[in-house]
Amino acid sequence: MKTREELKKEIRALLAEKNALMLAHNYQRDEVQDTADLTGDSLALSQSAAGSGAKVIVFCGVHFMAESAAILAPEKTVILPRMDAGCPMADMITAEELMEEKGKRPGVPVVAYVNTTAAVKAESDICCTSANAVRVVDSMDSEKVYMVPDRNLAHYISRSSGKKLEWWNGFCPTHERLKPEDVLKAKGENPDAVFVCHPECRPDVVLLADHVCSTSGMYRFAKEIKANTIIVGTEMGILWRLKKENPEKKFVLASEKLICPNMKLITLEDVLESLREMKNIVTVPEDIRVRAKRALDKMLKVPRQW
Ligand code: 13P
Ligand code: SF4
């Protein structure tokens, strides 16, 4: 069996040979993040995919993220090393279900979290990520806004936005597992700690947070905050870079249950094999792609907030 270093070397050589860029989401396995050209949240990775001069994008994340890259950069070949790496929240609403909801709310714009399929994005007015959601919602030229699919993100946004929000009842099964009692236990064990969480967490967890932000927002928060101990309410993959960038600080995962099994599917062996064989290529039918791109492009004009 090849060592991590051997795999990394082979992957890096192949990436150079094929003019390919390897992107890894902040929740990927440590060794995948360590091998990638860039790590980031879903907003940063979409922007990097669209803006890069590479011919091939190896997207280490989940399906909707690779799909966003394929929507934004149709001239590039986008590889998702494991086609079965999906996002259960993205699969909680179909384009047909969204069309039915739109029919009940004529004239109300739809904001789709990027954690949606291309077909759902195509039926939406604009996309958002956890890094720009308040700004996106507030940018809408309407008093009412309908958000899909995450009820927790929508609930969180409804507290700070000036808009009247309604939303679909989807959720992230990983973040949903974090309960207030887990946070209170971690706080009891670390009385001087601050608690930061992702807006996909339940409202009763968000209420306990000192700060709520996207995954990349957490890197900034960890650097800027004076506290030495930080309780983290998001997927455990984030710890690798948090620890690397802040070796003097202590990071406590708010619950051992914060593992997204889909984000953990991609191994270095998968990256190497898919790139070598140029397989697992993500494509989007052109009629859907063009409409979905409109919603993503609109989002990319709104500045990041965290
Ligand atoms: P970010 O947009 O913060 O990267 O989060 C994406 C995601 O899937 C969170 O569960
Ligand atoms: Fe989807 Fe949740 Fe996994 Fe993010 S953490 S990819 S929202 S299931």
Side-chain angles (χ1 to χ4, degrees):
M1 217 171 75
K2 288 176 186 157
T3 65
R4 260 188 199 193
E5 277 316 305
E6 286 166 344
L7 286 164
K8 181 174 173 178
K9 226 170 125 190
E10 273 190 57
I11 291 168
R12 295 301 323 162
L14 257 186
L15 288 164
E17 186 191 310
K18 293 182 184 262
N19 187 11
L21 183 74
M22 177 173 167
L23 304 176
H25 187 265
N26 296 327
Y27 295 161
Q28 289 288 293
R29 290 166 183 255
D30 298 357
E31 62 274 21
V32 172
Q33 293 193 49
D34 188 43
T35 303
D37 292 287
L38 287 168
T39 60
D41 62 9
S42 41
L43 177 58
L45 295 180
S46 310
Q47 285 167 323
S48 308
S52 110
K55 269 196 178 152
V56 179
I57 305 284
V58 184
F59 212 119
C60 300
V62 289
H63 192 270
F64 76 81
M65 295 180 179
E67 208 176 44
S68 294
I71 292 166
L72 290 168
E75 72 291 354
K76 301 189 204 307
T77 304
V78 179
I79 293 175
L80 177 64
R82 282 286 296 259
M83 273 302 190
D84 51 346
C87 168
M89 167 153 65
D91 294 332
M92 283 181 189
I93 186 165
T94 63
E96 291 70 30
E97 285 168 326
L98 175 54
M99 271 145 64
E100 203 180 316
E101 293 303 318
K102 278 168 53 170
K104 295 179 204 163
R105 299 170 180 80
V108 176
V110 174
V111 175
Y113 194 25
V114 284
N115 300 41
T116 42
T117 62
V120 166
K121 288 184 178 76
E123 285 301 325
S124 305
D125 293 273
I126 189 167
C127 291
C128 75
T129 76
S130 57
N132 60 18
V134 175
R135 289 202 172 155
V136 166
V137 168
D138 283 343
S139 76
M140 301 315 290
D141 193 13
S142 162
E143 210 192 308
K144 291 183 182 170
V145 172
Y146 188 63
M147 280 190 89
V148 294
D150 187 6
R151 65 184 181 206
N152 292 341
L153 177 72
H155 184 272
Y156 174 67
I157 302 304
S158 71
R159 289 172 41 202
S160 36
S161 158
K163 305 289 178 186
K164 194 174 174 310
L165 284 185
E166 285 190 309
W167 54 79
W168 184 255
N169 195 25
F171 60 93
C172 161
T174 298
H175 285 85
E176 192 75 9
R177 281 196 286 274
L178 179 61
K179 302 282 181 334
E181 45 274 32
D182 300 317
V183 179
L184 294 174
K185 183 166 174 278
K187 281 186 174 218
E189 289 164 0
N190 300 276
D192 297 328
V194 291
F195 172 51
V196 59
C197 78
H198 196 277
E200 286 175 19
C201 289
R202 298 152 39 119
D204 51 6
V205 166
V206 166
L207 269 182
L208 297 171
D210 297 287
H211 189 57
V212 183
C213 59
S214 72
T215 53
S216 289
M218 290 188 194
Y219 298 122
R220 204 177 75 189
F221 176 77
K223 271 191 194 143
E224 288 173 0
I225 194 82
K226 283 215 175 70
N228 274 320
T229 307
I230 301 167
I231 302 167
V232 180
T234 197
E235 211 275 344
M236 51 88 68
I238 194 145
L239 295 177
W240 177 72
R241 205 171 120 197
L242 280 176
K243 287 180 182 167
K244 200 168 99 169
E245 291 179 353
N246 307 276
E248 73 295 351
K249 295 196 178 176
K250 179 181 167 193
F251 295 94
V252 178
L253 196 64
S255 160
E256 284 174 359
K257 293 168 268 173
L258 284 165
I259 300 179
C260 172
N262 311 282
M263 280 285 183
K264 296 293 175 273
L265 282 176
I266 297 173
T267 63
L268 287 180
E269 284 84 356
D270 295 323
V271 175
L272 185 61
E273 190 184 317
S274 56
L275 183 60
R276 189 191 289 133
E277 295 174 22
M278 292 300 283
K279 66 173 194 185
N280 295 348
I281 295 169
V282 176
T283 55
V284 180
E286 192 58 12
D287 56 326
I288 292 177
R289 190 192 72 77
V290 171
R291 289 187 296 134
K293 185 169 185 297
R294 226 177 289 151
L296 279 170
D297 280 343
K298 259 200 226 162
M299 169 188 86
L300 292 174
K301 292 201 184 94
V302 178
R304 170 185 276 275
Q305 122 213 2
W306 299 305

